[in-house]
């Protein structure tokens, strides 16, 4: 059976791609952020995932405002990136796992999530930057992916609770999948940031800390915030935390935080990286 080994959450700011292309990882501006991935690399080398389910938000490369699904699941064996206009190199195509995608789609629909299924899907910086951070060196990534896109762009957005439950359904799907795969879950975006308007550059460090403190052990505590509250606390693009909530939901066992890095700012964003471990729930003894 497939096994969920844990989750990684990370910021997906495009200028990280430029820093990688220009080999600036050790520059004073960048090193506090890139150093936060040393542990992630150790953890990935130890856990050796075969597949990564990636919760992210598309920023207009695959979906635009004219047609924007709340939840969309990729069901392809390959996902391409294209030029998004950020001045960063187009990333290499990433291998998919269509069979696992269809299993997840079947479970989600059975669980009454009316998702959009995409047999073709372009992946944007919200997928390619996190993959480049986790597996640096420009080589082929050692994981296949199942991309799951959540609308964080055009309101109304799904609630935090809905995204936590979406993740839970994906977690149940993975655990009921017959192939012996080691599966990791990725959530990208955040933490607090706002890219435009009067509050451009807005960052809320105490709120980010609260989010990180609650994520592993008490994610339900964060579901009391409405999307409106979340925009007020975390900025208009801070709602990308919905991807982190879905990632957390997919960790169905005993979840512990094993790593966190937080650095302000990278571009306009409070940059954060976390690793959560997922261990099977202890079996209850029969009475
Ligand atoms: C930035 C942050 C994002 O989440 C994004 O998608 C694009 C840009 C930024 O801080 O520059
Ligand atoms: Fe973003």
């Amino acid at each position: 059976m497939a096994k969920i080994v844990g989750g990684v959450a990370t910021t997906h700011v495009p200028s990280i791609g430029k820093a990688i292309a220009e080999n600036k990882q050790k520059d004073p501006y960048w090193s506090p952020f890139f150093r936060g991935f040393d542990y992630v690399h150790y953890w990935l080398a130890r856990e050796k995932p075969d597949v990564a389910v990636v919760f992210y938000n598309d920023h207009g490369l695959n979906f635009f405002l004219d047609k924007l699904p709340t939840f969309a699941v990729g069901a392809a064996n390959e996902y391409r990136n294209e030029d998004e206009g950020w001045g960063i190199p187009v990333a290499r195509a990433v291998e998919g796992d269509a069979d696992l995608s269809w299993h997840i789609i079947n479970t989600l629909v059975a669980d009454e999530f009316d998702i959009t299924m995409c047999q073709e899907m372009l992946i944007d910086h919200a997928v390619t930057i996190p993959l480049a951070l986790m597996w640096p060196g420009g080589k082929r990534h050692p994981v296949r992916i199942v991309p799951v896109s959540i609308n964080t762009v055009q309101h109304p957005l799904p609630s935090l609770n809905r995204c936590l439950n979406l993740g839970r359904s994906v977690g149940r799907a993975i655990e009921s999948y017959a192939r012996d795969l080691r599966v990791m879950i990725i959530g990208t975006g955040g933490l607090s940031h706002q890219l435009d308007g009067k509050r451009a550059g807005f960052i809320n460090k105490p709120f980010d800390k609260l989010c990180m403190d609650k994520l592993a052990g008490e994610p339900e505590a964060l579901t009391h915030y409405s999307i409106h509250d979340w925009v007020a606390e975390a900025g208009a693009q801070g709602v990308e935390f919905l991807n982190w909530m879905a990632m957390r939901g997919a960790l169905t066992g005993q979840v512990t935080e094993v790593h966190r890095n937080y650095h302000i700012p990278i571009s306009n964003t409070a940059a954060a990286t976390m690793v959560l471990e997922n261990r099977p729930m202890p079996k209850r003894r029969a009475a």
Side-chain angles (χ1 to χ4, degrees):
M1 297 299 278
K3 183 172 182 271
I4 302 166
V5 295
V8 176
T10 181
T11 300
H12 61 219
V13 177
S15 58
I16 297 166
K18 202 150 191 287
I20 292 172
E22 293 170 0
N23 231 348
K24 289 192 170 154
Q25 292 90 332
K26 294 206 159 61
D27 279 15
Y29 179 85
W30 289 104
S31 71
F33 174 70
F34 279 98
R35 269 204 320 267
F37 276 82
D38 291 349
Y39 183 87
V40 180
H41 299 154
Y42 156 77
W43 187 82
L44 290 170
R46 197 185 73 196
E47 296 297 333
K48 296 188 177 50
D50 303 298
V51 180
V53 174
V54 189
F55 292 100
Y56 74 106
N57 57 293
D58 183 84
H59 298 71
L61 182 67
N62 191 73
F63 303 114
F64 202 62
L65 302 180
D66 58 337
K67 299 179 205 72
L68 192 38
T70 299
F71 301 124
V73 182
N77 280 318
E78 187 179 79
Y79 300 94
R80 284 188 308 104
N81 176 225
E82 275 180 7
D83 186 357
E84 295 174 67
W86 297 104
I88 56 178
V90 171
R92 67 159 67 230
V94 181
E95 205 182 327
D97 189 320
D99 192 71
L100 176 58
S101 288
W102 284 114
H103 180 75
I104 290 174
I105 289 167
N106 278 314
T107 306
L108 282 168
V109 175
D111 278 353
E112 301 182 350
F113 284 94
D114 306 319
I115 48 99
T116 299
M117 35 201 128
C118 303
Q119 298 193 60
E120 258 185 70
M121 198 174 183
L122 292 172
I123 47 169
D124 77 356
H125 68 272
V127 177
T128 60
I129 298 285
L131 294 182
L133 285 164
M134 285 180 227
W135 292 282
K139 290 192 291 267
R140 215 178 161 74
H141 303 303
V143 288
R144 300 182 296 282
I145 64 165
V146 174
V148 183
S149 150
I150 297 179
N151 168 32
T152 70
V153 174
Q154 174 149 289
H155 292 254
L157 310 185
S159 67
L160 286 133
N161 195 45
R162 185 78 174 142
C163 293
L164 187 63
N165 284 330
L166 176 89
R168 285 176 174 151
S169 181
V170 169
R172 282 193 298 275
I174 296 165
E175 281 178 338
S176 66
Y177 189 57
R179 272 156 76 205
D180 269 333
L181 294 178
R182 295 176 67 77
V183 181
M184 72 176 291
I185 317 292
I186 299 174
T188 89
L191 285 175
S192 60
H193 64 303
Q194 172 142 345
L195 300 180
D196 48 20
K198 280 201 194 110
R199 293 203 308 166
F202 174 80
I203 278 173
N204 185 346
K205 190 174 175 182
F207 188 70
D208 289 338
K209 181 170 183 319
L210 174 83
C211 295
M212 291 188 287
D213 288 348
K214 297 287 181 202
L215 189 65
E218 222 186 321
E220 297 81 7
L222 299 171
T223 63
H224 301 303
Y225 289 87
S226 68
I227 292 296
H228 191 268
D229 295 338
W230 206 274
V231 170
E233 294 288 351
Q237 279 71 43
V239 290
E240 290 179 344
F241 190 78
L242 292 175
N243 303 318
W244 289 44
M245 280 301 266
M247 177 278 283
R248 172 60 187 85
L251 306 180
T252 48
Q254 273 186 327
V255 180
T256 38
E257 174 184 335
V258 291
H259 174 66
R260 126 173 14 178
N261 186 49
Y262 183 77
H263 175 68
I264 298 174
I266 290 296
S267 188
N268 290 297
T269 298
T273 305
M274 288 183 81
V275 181
L276 306 183
E277 227 156 53
N278 183 59
R279 295 287 173 247
M281 286 286 187
K283 291 235 163 42
R284 286 228 206 111
R285 271 200 257 143

